[in-house]
């Protein structure tokens, strides 16, 4: 019988994953073998007769389970980017096993006793900063996850974690299924009136691929966004908007209401078991924000500035829609459509004008060129690395000295097995072991418009900033240079992790940066400077409404996690109550945000959605520093690389930020950039 490839050392270039040789049937046996192996490594740490030391306990624990971590990263990344029924069934079986294994470690009394022995004498150990952080993190991860609980409560914790692991997966599976299940099939020319040619061509190709006439539109972003932004047919915009807003809210087999209620209640129960007031109190103890009260204060302070601006913008939009088309009441399905028309009127600019200058390949090259100027990185497209789908591009990343830095995977187009949105992830972390700096394998995943028969993939400006955003996360992973994998790359406080991603978006608005890549895909002409000026002028367009939208989501997140949710029985009623203070559009009874809010119910953003705005304060302040000294200033760029990108979670984020910036961030920079206060 052939050995399972997942339990062997990969004999591949750069030790990359041999995707084409991995079968779905390999995963479950591989997981079981890797869990057994990792347990033996833990037993070795516990059973040693030597007194506990940093090396034989903390470091040994840090580097245990390496094979299990590798298999997990491969499997769960595939479950997001290229899933199928088989993988989803395995995920439902393996997630409880992994939760159980995690509990086996954190609830292991003998292991915790050794960790505590090292922790209690830390002042005598002469540890460096990174070692101190690792020791602190290991001790806290045990203490915060039940190591001090009596046996009956440990059993309860195991039960909760097992349930949560399955519920979160099921939530995500339902959202993906709802996204894939909806199709809007149109056959009349007047039904697609107003749509750009590229959007119509893509919809026609999709229809043809399913042996249908006319055009096919879906809830995947490259199909959904152009339709609600440009389609003249208000009734069809409504149909698509309501479908997108009601995912997981149909009372059928894919309904997420009971699932999210169970998740919220189990999280609260878990926090209480561990001695915390709420799930948010538990989470935020290990965040820059520190407490729900501080998050609430942060959101409300911004709300005070953003809400009046948002209400003014909305009133202007209402008046504009009434003057243009006699719309008496602006609805959710009107927002993007009339916003785009108003933007065109105010700034004489729209995405269709800009898209020819943002061919996907050129934007990728632009991200590479900017990164080269800032951080001395070079990207070489290679084809000797296996991928999980033919769309995936692969790059070898090095510096000007030729040192190998990272492998980068890039996966840009939507497909049925891929969830919506955009994200960065890792297939292999960076760390230093036995004197060797093991370099990372990083991936960025997006959902951009695919090339058609007549046009390449041309990005909207929003998609350009999305690519730069995910590329910023990738830089955080690629430039990691720490000893320990759990402190490497994006392994930082959750409200700090968005700084590298969000700061990269700023270069998309700068003439000096745009000249490097914004060239017309047919004529190769540089983007005209009047368009660059319009991009900058329009950057603050509807920033009040955009800010209010983000703050709404942050409030909703905290409403589920910063209070006892046991009395919440009606998901929609609860959500309506939370949103009432920030509503602009009339409510729609058939839609519900919470039932598809994957960030907080499936991903890692529970009690953390405020992080996007929190990090915006950091990124606006940080980019002001670049602007003061020059956006390609080598001294500022090197400081950002050395103190932010390469340090991972080795020190407290504010210490790292102040080392880079020389001061704590001020929210005024964000408010100025958003046009909410005078410059």
């Amino acid at each position: 019988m052939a050995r399972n490839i997942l339990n062997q050392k990969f004999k591949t270039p750069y030790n990359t994953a041999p995707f084409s040789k991995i079968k779905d049937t390999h995963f479950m046996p591989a997981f079981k073998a890797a869990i057994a192996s990792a347990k033996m490594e833990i037993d070795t740490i516990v059973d040693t007769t030597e007194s506990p030391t940093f090396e034989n306990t903390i470091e040994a624990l840090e580097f245990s389970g390496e094979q299990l971590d590798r298999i997990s990263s491969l499997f769960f990344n595939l479950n997001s980017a290229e899933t199928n029924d088989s993988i989803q069934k395995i995920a439902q079986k393996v997630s409880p096993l992994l939760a159980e294994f995690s509990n086996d470690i954190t609830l292991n009394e003998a292991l915790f006793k050794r960790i505590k022995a090292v922790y209690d004498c830390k002042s005598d150990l002469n540890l460096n900063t990174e070692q101190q952080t690792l020791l602190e993190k290991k001790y806290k991860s045990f203490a915060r996850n039940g190591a001090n609980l009596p046996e009956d409560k440990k059993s309860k914790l195991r039960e909760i974690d097992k349930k949560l692991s399955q519920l979160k997966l099921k939530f995500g599976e339902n959202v993906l299924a709802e996204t894939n299940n909806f199709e809007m099939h149109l056959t009349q020319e007047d039904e697609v009136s107003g749509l750009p040619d590229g959007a119509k061509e893509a919809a026609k190709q999709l229809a043809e691929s399913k042996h249908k006439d006319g055009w096919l539109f879906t809830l995947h972003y490259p199909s959904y966004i152009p339709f609600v932004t440009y389609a003249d047919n208000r009734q069809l915009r409504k149909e698509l908007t309501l479908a997108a807003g009601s995912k997981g809210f149909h009372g059928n087999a894919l309904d997420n209401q009971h699932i999210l209620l169970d998740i919220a209640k189990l999280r609260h129960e878990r926090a209480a078991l561990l001695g915390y007031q709420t799930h948010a109190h538990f989470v935020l103890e290990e965040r820059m924000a520190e407490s729900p009260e501080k998050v609430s204060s942060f959101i409300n302070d911004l709300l005070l500035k953003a809400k009046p601006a948002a209400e003014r913008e909305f009133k202007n939009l209402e008046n504009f829609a009434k003057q243009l088309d006699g719309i008496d009441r602006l609805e959710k399905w009107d927002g993007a459509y009339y916003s785009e028309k108003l933007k065109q009127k105010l700034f004489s600019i729209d995405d269709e004008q800009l898209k020819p200058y943002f061919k996907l390949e050129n934007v990728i090259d632009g991200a590479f060129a900017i990164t080269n100027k800032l951080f001395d990185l070079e990207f070489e497209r290679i084809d000797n690395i296996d991928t999980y789908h033919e769309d995936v591009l692969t790059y070898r990343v090095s510096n000007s000295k030729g040192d190998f830095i990272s492998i980068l995977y890039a996966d840009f187009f939507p497909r049925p097995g891929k969830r919506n949105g955009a994200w960065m992830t890792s297939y292999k972390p960076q760390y230093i072991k036995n004197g060797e700096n093991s370099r990372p394998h990083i991936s960025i995943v997006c959902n951009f418009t695919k090339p058609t028969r007549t046009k390449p993939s041309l990005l909207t400006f929003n998609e350009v900033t999305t690519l730069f955003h995910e590329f910023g996360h990738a830089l955080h992973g690629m430039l990691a240079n720490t000893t320990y994998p759990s402190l490497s790359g994006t392994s930082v406080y959750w409200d700090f992790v968005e700084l590298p991603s969000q700061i990269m978006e700023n270069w998309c608005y700068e003439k000096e940066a745009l000249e490097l890549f914004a060239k017309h895909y047919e004529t190769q002409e540089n983007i005209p400077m009047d368009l660059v000026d319009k991009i900058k002028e329009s950057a603050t367009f509807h920033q009040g409404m955009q800010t209010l939208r983000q703050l709404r989501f942050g409030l909703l997140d905290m409403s589920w996690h910063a209070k006892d949710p046991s009395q919440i029985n009606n998901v929609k009623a609860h959500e309506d109550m939370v949103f009432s203070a920030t509503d602009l559009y009339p409510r729609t009874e058939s839609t519900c945000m919470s039932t598809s809010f994957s960030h907080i119910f499936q991903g890692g953003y529970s009690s953390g959605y405020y992080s996007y705005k929190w990090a915006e304060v950091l990124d606006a302040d940080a980019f002001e520093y670049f602007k003061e000294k020059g956006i390609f200033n080598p001294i500022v760029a090197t400081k950002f690389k050395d103190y932010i990108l390469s340090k991972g979670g080795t020190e407290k984020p504010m210490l790292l930020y102040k080392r880079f910036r020389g001061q704590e961030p001020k929210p005024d920079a964000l408010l100025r950039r958003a046009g909410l206060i005078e410059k």
Side-chain angles (χ1 to χ4, degrees):
M1 185 175 166
R3 287 182 65 201
N4 189 325
I5 193 165
L6 289 172
N7 290 131
Q8 303 172 39
K9 187 170 176 61
F10 299 153
K11 295 173 183 174
T12 53
Y14 309 102
N15 190 25
T16 49
F19 288 106
S20 65
K21 294 176 182 167
I22 300 171
K23 296 182 172 63
D24 292 353
T25 52
H26 287 151
F27 278 111
M28 187 54 88
F31 269 117
K32 288 179 177 175
I35 288 171
S37 175
K39 281 182 176 177
M40 287 171 64
E41 290 176 287
I42 299 299
D43 289 343
T44 301
I45 296 169
V46 170
D47 294 342
T48 181
T49 55
E50 296 174 15
S51 298
T53 66
F54 181 82
E55 289 74 23
N56 71 18
T57 301
I58 307 303
E59 274 194 345
L61 177 60
E62 171 70 1
F63 287 110
S64 68
E66 195 176 328
Q67 187 68 12
L68 178 59
D69 290 343
R70 192 82 196 271
I71 295 166
S72 295
S73 73
L74 288 173
F75 177 77
F76 287 104
N77 282 324
L78 286 176
N79 193 35
S80 291
E82 185 62 8
T83 195
N84 56 46
D85 289 345
S86 166
I87 285 178
Q88 289 182 5
K89 282 175 186 162
I90 296 165
Q92 284 290 349
K93 289 178 186 171
V94 83
S95 291
L97 293 181
L98 292 172
E100 184 72 10
F101 171 69
S102 177
N103 287 145
D104 284 343
I105 294 175
T106 54
L107 302 179
N108 184 319
E109 282 186 36
L111 180 59
F112 181 56
K113 190 176 176 185
R114 289 185 68 86
I115 292 166
K116 191 172 185 304
V118 180
Y119 183 79
D120 287 344
C121 64
K122 61 182 175 180
S123 56
D124 305 324
L125 297 180
N126 196 28
L127 302 176
N128 65 31
T129 302
E130 191 175 347
Q131 290 171 327
Q132 288 173 28
T133 301
L134 183 70
L135 175 56
E136 188 89 18
K137 187 173 176 180
K138 290 295 180 202
Y139 176 78
K140 276 188 174 179
S141 74
F142 277 71
R144 280 168 49 81
N145 285 288
N148 291 313
L149 292 177
E151 278 309 312
D152 60 328
K153 289 188 175 179
K154 283 181 179 177
S155 298
K156 184 67 179 168
L157 190 74
R158 286 178 182 274
E159 187 186 317
I160 290 171
D161 286 345
K162 190 173 179 179
K163 283 182 189 169
L164 277 171
S165 70
Q166 291 171 309
L167 286 167
K168 288 193 291 182
L169 269 176
K170 182 63 178 160
F171 184 96
E173 286 171 10
N174 287 352
V175 173
L176 180 62
E178 289 270 78
T179 303
N180 286 336
N181 287 352
F182 179 87
E183 289 180 349
M184 187 167 73
H185 182 210
L186 306 178
T187 55
Q188 303 301 312
E189 189 71 47
D190 64 340
E191 293 176 316
V192 292
S193 166
L195 282 172
D197 290 342
K200 286 198 282 190
E201 188 179 3
K204 186 169 272 297
Q205 275 187 212
L206 182 61
E208 286 172 2
S209 73
K210 301 200 173 186
H211 311 293
K212 293 182 178 181
D213 295 329
W215 304 267
L216 210 54
F217 294 91
T218 71
L219 299 180
H220 292 284
Y221 289 157
S223 180
Y224 172 78
I225 296 296
F227 198 92
V228 296
T229 306
Y230 294 106
D232 294 327
N233 189 310
R234 193 182 187 208
Q235 187 56 37
L236 292 175
R237 290 201 313 268
K238 177 180 179 180
E239 184 182 332
L240 203 61
T241 301
L242 293 181
S246 59
K247 286 184 283 191
F249 190 57
H250 292 121
N252 57 11
L254 300 175
D255 194 281
N256 272 338
Q257 291 176 84
H258 286 298
I259 291 173
L260 77 85
L261 284 171
D262 287 347
I263 290 171
K265 288 169 185 176
L266 284 168
R267 282 173 173 167
H268 182 76
E269 189 181 346
R270 187 183 193 279
L273 200 62
L274 293 166
Y276 292 87
Q277 193 176 329
T278 67
H279 177 69
H281 285 84
F282 170 77
V283 169
L284 292 165
E285 184 180 67
E286 291 292 284
R287 298 285 192 269
M288 290 178 80
E290 298 174 336
S291 71
E293 293 75 25
K294 203 163 174 182
V295 171
S296 178
S297 172
F298 171 75
I299 290 176
N300 287 322
D301 284 350
L302 278 180
L303 199 55
L304 208 60
K305 306 272 195 326
K307 191 176 177 184
E311 288 172 340
R312 281 194 304 274
E313 291 166 1
F314 186 74
K315 191 71 183 164
N316 289 340
L317 191 62
E318 270 189 320
N319 292 337
F320 175 72
K322 191 174 180 94
Q323 289 165 12
L324 195 67
D325 290 329
I327 301 293
D328 287 325
R329 192 165 90 150
L330 206 64
E331 301 279 2
K332 288 176 182 173
W333 45 90
D334 298 317
Y337 181 76
Y338 287 105
S339 287
E340 183 62 24
K341 284 196 164 5
L342 180 57
K343 189 164 124 186
Q344 288 175 28
K345 182 187 173 190
L346 293 176
F347 304 103
S348 302
I349 190 172
D350 67 50
D351 272 328
E352 290 310 300
Q353 270 178 287
L354 296 173
K355 280 168 74 172
Y357 296 97
F358 295 124
K359 180 182 170 184
L360 174 59
E361 290 78 2
N362 291 349
V363 179
I364 296 167
D365 288 344
F368 291 168
I370 289 165
T371 303
N372 177 261
K373 286 170 79 77
L374 288 169
F375 308 122
D376 185 34
L377 291 183
E378 296 175 359
F379 297 80
E380 176 195 356
R381 176 88 181 271
I382 53 177
D383 56 13
N384 62 334
I385 288 179
D386 218 347
T387 62
Y388 54 86
H389 191 276
E390 61 186 12
D391 285 348
V392 180
L393 308 175
T394 51
Y395 301 88
R396 182 187 190 274
V397 187
S398 58
N399 61 22
S400 57
K401 296 177 190 170
D403 300 324
F404 172 57
I405 301 295
S406 174
I407 291 297
L408 175 66
Y409 298 86
D411 180 1
F412 290 120
F413 304 123
R415 51 184 175 267
K418 186 178 181 181
R419 67 177 169 91
N420 256 333
W423 62 94
M424 164 267 175
T425 188
S426 164
Y427 283 102
K428 178 186 167 301
Q430 176 274 330
Y431 56 87
I432 298 170
K433 189 177 179 185
N434 300 325
E436 182 192 345
N437 195 327
S438 183
R439 300 309 301 168
H441 301 168
I442 303 299
S443 174
I444 54 174
V445 188
C446 303
N447 280 278
F448 298 147
T449 305
K450 292 187 84 159
T452 63
R453 291 189 192 95
T454 63
K455 287 181 182 171
S457 176
L458 301 176
L459 305 189
T460 65
F461 188 70
N462 185 54
E463 288 175 326
V464 174
T465 58
T466 295
L467 192 151
F468 271 73
H469 180 104
E470 299 310 330
F471 196 69
H473 281 311
L475 288 170
H476 206 178
M478 291 188 288
L479 286 167
N481 196 27
T482 64
T483 304
Y484 304 113
S486 70
L487 302 179
S488 180
T490 56
S491 300
V492 299
Y493 279 6
W494 212 256
D495 43 12
F496 192 61
V497 79
E498 295 296 334
L499 167 60
S501 57
Q502 289 178 186
I503 196 173
M504 285 305 295
E505 294 180 37
N506 289 281
W507 274 268
C508 301
Y509 295 89
E510 298 297 322
K511 172 178 177 288
E512 207 180 332
L514 286 167
E515 285 176 338
L516 294 173
F517 68 94
K519 300 177 191 300
H520 197 285
Y521 78 100
E522 289 175 319
T523 65
Q524 304 309 309
E525 289 178 76
N526 280 345
I527 189 169
M529 281 309 106
D530 67 315
L531 281 183
V532 174
D533 292 339
K534 287 172 182 176
I535 289 172
K536 294 198 77 163
E537 281 172 25
S538 64
T540 60
F541 179 67
H542 282 179
Q543 271 298 302
M545 287 167 67
Q546 291 295 336
T547 301
L548 190 69
R549 180 176 179 271
Q550 286 286 88
L551 296 175
R552 275 164 68 84
F553 295 168
L555 287 168
L556 182 61
D557 172 25
M558 296 307 286
S559 78
W560 284 115
H561 297 116
K563 299 185 180 87
D564 181 354
S566 60
Q567 300 308 307
I568 305 172
N569 298 310
N570 186 316
V571 173
K572 173 70 171 169
H574 171 74
E575 181 174 297
D576 284 348
M577 179 195 69
V578 174
F579 280 164
S580 60
T582 57
D583 276 337
L584 294 174
Y585 293 96
R587 285 184 193 161
T588 45
E589 287 309 309
S590 65
T591 63
C592 184
M593 166 74 187
S594 298
T595 53
S596 61
F597 201 172
S598 299
H599 269 77
I600 67 168
F601 290 115
Q602 183 194 10
Y605 278 85
S606 63
S607 307
Y609 201 85
Y610 75 93
S611 301
Y612 285 105
K613 274 292 164 210
W614 184 279
E616 270 192 63
V617 170
L618 297 174
D619 101 68
D621 185 72
F623 194 66
E624 274 201 354
Y625 188 27
F626 273 99
K627 294 268 282 185
E628 286 165 18
K629 306 292 185 185
I631 65 165
F632 290 115
N633 183 285
I635 295 169
V636 179
T638 300
K639 285 173 75 175
F640 194 76
K641 180 166 113 176
D642 290 348
Y643 297 136
I644 307 290
L645 296 176
S646 68
K647 288 289 186 188
T650 55
E651 292 186 70
K652 296 251 185 221
M654 192 55 81
L655 287 175
L656 295 173
Y657 187 83
K658 285 199 289 188
R659 217 166 282 156
F660 155 69
R661 185 68 168 99
Q663 62 187 41
E664 289 200 6
K666 297 185 176 79
D668 287 5
L670 170 63
L671 297 170
R672 276 193 294 273
R673 186 176 71 186
L676 299 177
I677 61 171
E678 291 296 317
K679 293 194 177 182

